[in-house]
Amino acid sequence: MPRTAQSDKANVIAFYEMMFNDCEPAKAIATYAGDDYIQHNPHVTDGKDGFIAYFERMAAEYPGKRVEVKRAIAEGNHVVLHCHQFWPGGLEYAGIDIFRLDDAGKIVEHWDVLQERPDHSENENGMF
């Protein structure tokens, strides 16, 4: 089946949900990552092993964490996810994750930004 924006979005969402919600980062990397994995988040070591170690630790330290993908945008070799993260203790975050895919549709690079969801908003529009 040829690669499309829809298939890229579906694969990136499946990758994100597998590593975050299902707590299976090694399986997510094995299934959806390319030969290399470049990481731009300063809290995560570069490469596949660093990714796996970080998210295995997060699963152990924060059982019950979960994410809801609110929207996905694909253009060229990039997919952007707008997500709502729920962490134990009532912490919630709005996140933007940017993934670059190789020509085979495998994830090879990641950037992200997070914003804690505030208790108060100056507008009624919400973050999602």
Side-chain angles (χ1 to χ4, degrees), residues 95-115:
I96 299 289
D97 287 270
I98 304 168
F99 298 91
R100 182 175 64 84
L101 288 68
D102 64 16
D103 290 338
K106 297 291 188 172
I107 298 167
V108 294
E109 195 164 7
H110 170 258
W111 300 259
D112 64 347
V113 291
L114 287 174
Q115 178 181 2

Side-chain angles (χ1 to χ4, degrees), residues 59-70:
E61 291 178 5
Y62 301 98
K65 68 176 179 45
R66 64 185 175 85
V67 67
E68 291 178 4
V69 176
K70 297 297 187 176

Side-chain angles (χ1 to χ4, degrees), residues 7-128:
S7 65
D8 283 351
K9 288 191 290 188
N11 286 336
V12 169
I13 290 169
F15 168 80
Y16 200 79
E17 290 180 345
M18 184 180 289
M19 67 86 171
F20 202 98
N21 292 341
D22 299 340
C23 301
E24 295 183 303
K27 183 177 177 184
I29 286 289
T31 305
Y32 296 104
D35 292 336
D36 297 312
Y37 187 81
I38 301 166
Q39 179 62 256
H40 294 276
N41 181 320
H43 301 289
V44 184
T45 305
D46 202 24
K48 294 178 183 181
D49 291 339
F51 174 91
I52 292 166
Y54 179 83
F55 281 101
E56 284 179 347
R57 190 174 81 247
M58 291 297 101
E61 291 178 5
Y62 301 98
K65 68 176 179 45
R66 64 185 175 85
V67 67
E68 291 178 4
V69 176
K70 297 297 187 176
R71 58 192 48 82
I73 301 163
E75 180 179 322
N77 278 6
H78 291 86
V79 173
V80 178
L81 300 182
H82 182 207
C83 300
H84 188 178
Q85 294 184 7
F86 300 87
W87 290 79
L91 284 177
E92 295 182 36
Y93 292 89
I96 299 289
D97 287 270
I98 304 168
F99 298 91
R100 182 175 64 84
L101 288 68
D102 64 16
D103 290 338
K106 297 291 188 172
I107 298 167
V108 294
E109 195 164 7
H110 170 258
W111 300 259
D112 64 347
V113 291
L114 287 174
Q115 178 181 2
E116 191 172 339
R117 189 169 182 196
D119 292 331
H120 172 76
S121 176
E122 293 296 327
N123 63 66
E124 306 260 338
N125 301 321
M127 297 181 76
F128 304 101

